């Protein structure tokens, strides 16, 4: 496992501890690495009206965007697991959902890079790393509308 993956997974695990997931009982954390080495974190945020819930990856990317840094995203770490006794538990590797892959693609095309995605469980040493293009091949995004660049 790369140092980058270790760092982002550790920060995503911290973020997962802030998950608001009273309905699913499944907490997710994300940590987004920016070009200058800074990291933005996010946790899932559920709502009683389920459709209004936000995934951790989306929260972290929206935070990066609010800082004017969407084009600076180079990698993301994602973890998740069941909430047990107030903590996130489980060793199964969690990957971004389809919606999150599309949101990550927005940052990838705006930044002109193929974002690295590091995935892990809430606990354990198992980490699987991908390029976004492996998780979402032939993606539709800003480049198809003349904005940004296709990932490379």
């Amino acid at each position: 496992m790369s140092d980058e993956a270790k760092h982002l997974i550790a920060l995503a695990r911290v973020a997962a501890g802030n998950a608001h997931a009273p309905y699913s009982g499944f907490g997710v954390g994300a940590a987004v690495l920016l070009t200058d080495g800074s990291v933005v974190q996010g946790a899932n945020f559920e709502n009683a009206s389920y459709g209004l819930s936000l995934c951790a990856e989306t929260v972290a990317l929206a935070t990066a965007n609010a800082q004017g840094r969407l084009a600076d995203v180079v990698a993301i770490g994602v973890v998740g697991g069941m909430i047990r006794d107030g903590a996130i538990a489980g060793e199964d590797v969690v990957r971004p959902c389809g919606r999150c892959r599309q949101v990550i693609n927005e940052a990838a095309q705006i930044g002109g890079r193929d974002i690295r995605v590091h995935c892990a469980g809430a606990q354990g040493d198992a980490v699987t790393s991908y390029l976004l293009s492996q998780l979402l091949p032939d993606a539709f995004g800003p480049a198809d509308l003349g904005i940004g660049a296709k990932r490379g």
Side-chain angles (χ1 to χ4, degrees):
M1 174 182 354
S2 70
D3 288 341
E4 174 186 274
K6 287 179 193 175
H7 181 63
L8 291 177
I9 294 303
L11 292 174
R13 285 178 172 154
V14 171
N18 296 318
H20 176 72
Y23 308 105
S24 71
F26 193 83
V28 180
V32 172
L33 177 65
L34 303 176
T35 53
D36 66 358
S38 62
V39 175
V40 177
Q41 294 166 279
N44 59 324
F45 183 73
E46 294 180 353
N47 189 283
S49 176
Y50 295 156
L52 299 179
S53 296
L54 300 171
C55 296
E57 302 91 324
T58 302
V59 170
L61 288 166
T63 301
N65 183 62
Q67 296 173 1
R69 306 290 308 273
L70 188 62
D72 296 340
V73 174
V74 295
I76 184 168
V78 179
V79 304
M82 296 305 298
I83 300 172
R84 295 193 181 106
D85 299 321
I88 311 296
E91 294 187 16
D92 291 340
V93 172
V94 172
R95 293 162 188 83
C97 71
R99 178 176 177 260
C100 286
R101 294 174 193 205
Q102 183 65 37
V103 173
I104 296 167
N105 180 61
E106 190 78 9
Q109 286 192 12
I110 293 297
R113 67 181 54 88
D114 200 356
I115 292 174
R116 295 180 301 277
V117 182
H118 307 291
C119 307
Q123 301 166 308
D125 295 328
V127 174
T128 306
S129 296
Y130 305 90
L131 290 173
L132 178 62
S133 61
Q134 295 173 292
L135 294 173
L136 190 67
D138 301 318
F140 177 84
D144 296 290
L145 303 174
I147 302 167
K150 285 283 189 186
R151 329 177 278 248

